[in-house]
Amino acid sequence: MKVLLIGSGGREHALAWKLAQSPLLTRLFAAPGNPGIGTVAELVALDPADHAAVIAFCTSESIDLVVVGPEVPLVAGIADDLAAAGIRVFGPSRAAAQLEGSKGYTKDLCAEARIPTAAYRRFTSAGPAKAYVGDRGAPIVVKADGLAAGKGVTVAETVDEAHAAIDACFEGALGTAGAEVVVEEFLAGEEASFFALSDGVTVIPFGTAQDHKRVGEGDTGPNTGGMGAYSPAPIVTPALAARVMDEIIRPTVSTMAKRDAPFRGVLYAGLMITAEGPKLIEYNVRFGDPETQVLMPRLDSDLLALLAAVADGRLAEMSPRWSDDAALTVVMAAEGYPGSHAKGSPIGGLDAAATIHGATVFQAGTALRDGRLVAHGGRVLNVTARGDSIAQAQERAYEAAAKIVWPEGFYRRDIGWRAIGRVVAG
Ligand code: AMP
Ligand code: GLY
């Protein structure tokens, strides 16, 4: 099978690394990719926003399957355009991608299908939204409806903070993403990422993980795209996973089918595990980043066979196998991230890091300059390791991270603290 992978982050490096191990694979292309992806795939200088160019490439190279990594091309309808051109694709249609593209859409679906989630209201102007906040009080959560690259959510501690977030949205701080706003109840609990594959009819669980969204140790400071993760998530016990499938995932997939927007791809549920049970915070219609970097090292089955089965509607034939090992990834980011940060500083030591038992370094925001690897983004490397426990994976990941030579980078020293604390406390 000839495969084209769309994307350029650490998530796509982990997907490419796993796809490259498939006995079904004959050639792997990535557009636009990054230098790490370039070690396992042929990089193609295509702009994923240019659907006609992607289709032309797939036709000329006889691509058998396109795997779409990020949400932006999915919400823009790349899966519909590829399917219309007769090209097989892993990733939901534009209509099904509304689960990530519009928070209001997902909240209304939860209401219709009685899926547990935070109480909410949708607003198209500031006055009524502020009045609602006044009625409900703080803490309260304000969300821009559309895609905002992780910047659309404000967990407001005070009514004033919520009002400021509402004003910012309607004043255009987030562009069209903020033209509509969801205000919702604050949920207390522990967060977990839950993944499921769906071909529109069949849906199967596809692993759990926990991310670390805040930039600082002890989960402090501003939100980021994710500073580290581990898998599995110990809080998601088999009994809890069964509840998530019954109460959240299956009702979503069956409601989407009823709406003539069958969901084909990977559904990523951001969950809050509350005292009352699991509740949906939000959906993403793609793999998580950095969660994929800890799921792929644990997947024993052939990823390509699974993704092709999703695209073909044959998921009922598949049952993914996972290693009993845990995996943990530490994100190395450029000094200053998530604020402004410099590009171009040289990075060394990747080969030394990879010699640590069980370790793999996935690249995210990197580039090659005169043959040298340099930083080219905020989140730059994902230093990942497997181990027979989260504690062992953590020890190996930090041992590998210590081999990286990049003075302009930084990382959290406490990735995994919650899971490891749980084991000790238990
Ligand atoms: P998002 O950018 O949509 O992933 O949301 C960012 C973060 O905001 C989530 O990971 C949660 O930590 C937090 N969050 C979102 N909705 C709620 C809620 N209703 N209650 C508490 N925290 C929330
Ligand atoms: N780990 C957060 C995300 O992928 O959106």
Side-chain angles (χ1 to χ4, degrees):
M1 236 187 275
K2 286 168 96 176
V3 176
L4 171 66
L5 172 67
I6 304 275
S8 62
R11 165 183 53 210
E12 286 77 20
H13 189 183
L15 292 172
W17 172 85
K18 187 66 189 168
L19 287 170
Q21 296 167 27
S22 170
L24 301 175
L25 186 79
T26 51
R27 260 175 109 176
L28 180 60
F29 298 94
N34 68 34
I37 298 171
T39 63
V40 286
E42 298 168 55
L43 303 187
V44 197
L46 274 177
D47 175 4
D50 185 348
H51 298 185
V54 174
I55 290 167
F57 175 82
C58 292
T59 308
S60 75
E61 288 292 343
S62 309
I63 296 294
D64 298 297
L65 181 70
V66 178
V67 177
V68 185
E71 65 277 15
V72 169
L74 292 167
V75 172
I78 197 168
D80 310 66
D81 291 343
L82 287 165
I87 299 159
R88 197 153 63 137
V89 56
F90 174 84
S93 67
R94 182 199 325 250
Q98 283 299 97
L99 284 173
E100 179 164 359
S102 166
K103 297 200 187 287
Y105 178 93
T106 295
K107 297 301 288 191
D108 287 353
L109 179 131
C110 287
E112 179 186 329
R114 298 175 176 277
I115 292 167
T117 187
Y120 75 105
R121 286 269 296 276
R122 300 175 73 169
F123 297 97
T124 52
S125 63
K130 288 184 181 173
Y132 180 71
V133 167
D135 283 350
R136 306 293 298 217
I140 194 155
V141 183
V142 177
K143 300 185 172 185
D145 183 74
L147 290 186
K151 296 179 179 65
V153 175
T154 302
V155 178
E157 306 286 345
T158 63
V159 167
D160 284 349
E161 209 185 315
H163 283 183
I166 290 167
D167 281 335
C169 279
F170 288 117
E171 283 161 11
L174 298 163
T176 53
E180 189 178 325
V181 164
V182 171
V183 179
E184 68 178 39
E185 169 198 7
F186 172 81
L187 297 175
E190 188 171 326
E191 283 180 66
S193 305
F194 189 100
F195 298 87
L197 292 178
S198 166
D199 64 7
V201 179
T202 300
V203 54
I204 56 177
F206 200 58
T208 62
Q210 280 180 295
D211 192 1
H212 297 62
K213 288 203 191 257
R214 304 296 193 96
V215 74
E217 276 148 33
D219 294 334
T220 54
N223 258 325
T224 69
M227 294 302 293
Y230 50 81
S231 175
I235 192 170
V236 186
T237 58
L240 193 83
R243 278 189 72 179
V244 172
M245 288 301 289
D246 289 344
E247 297 173 18
I248 298 177
I249 305 290
R250 280 196 200 91
T252 300
V253 168
S254 60
T255 306
M256 293 302 284
K258 267 190 256 157
R259 289 185 174 189
D260 280 332
F263 187 87
R264 297 193 190 94
V266 58
L267 191 56
Y268 159 4
L271 301 176
M272 189 69 86
I273 313 304
T274 73
E276 294 156 32
K279 292 192 180 182
L280 182 72
I281 300 178
E282 60 165 2
Y283 272 132
N284 298 304
V285 299
R286 46 151 181 98
F287 282 108
D289 190 342
E291 289 95 328
T292 307
Q293 291 87 309
V294 286
L295 285 183
M296 290 305 118
R298 296 187 50 245
L299 179 64
D300 280 341
S301 300
D302 180 356
L303 178 67
L304 181 50
L306 285 161
L307 302 189
V310 168
D312 291 344
R314 292 186 289 101
L315 191 58
E317 298 165 19
M318 312 299 285
S319 42
R321 282 171 290 103
W322 297 92
S323 157
D324 290 333
D325 273 5
L328 183 139
T329 190
V330 176
V331 171
M332 297 186 83
E335 203 60 68
Y337 175 81
S340 63
H341 47 269
K343 285 185 179 173
S345 48
I347 303 168
L350 265 71
D351 291 341
T355 63
I356 302 299
H357 190 71
T360 310
V361 181
F362 296 119
Q363 297 184 29
T366 58
L368 284 175
R369 190 197 284 164
D370 303 327
R372 278 210 73 175
L373 193 69
V374 298
H376 194 66
R379 292 189 297 167
V380 172
L381 299 176
N382 307 131
V383 185
T384 310
R386 264 174 71 150
D388 61 17
S389 62
I390 291 174
Q392 190 183 59
Q394 182 197 51
E395 199 180 305
R396 290 173 173 175
Y398 279 112
E399 215 179 311
K403 304 277 186 198
I404 303 282
V405 184
W406 180 34
E408 294 80 3
F410 76 98
Y411 53 95
R412 276 179 62 167
R413 311 275 161 166
D414 66 343
I415 300 302
W417 68 271
R418 208 184 282 277
I420 290 163
R422 181 182 300 277
V423 174
V424 171

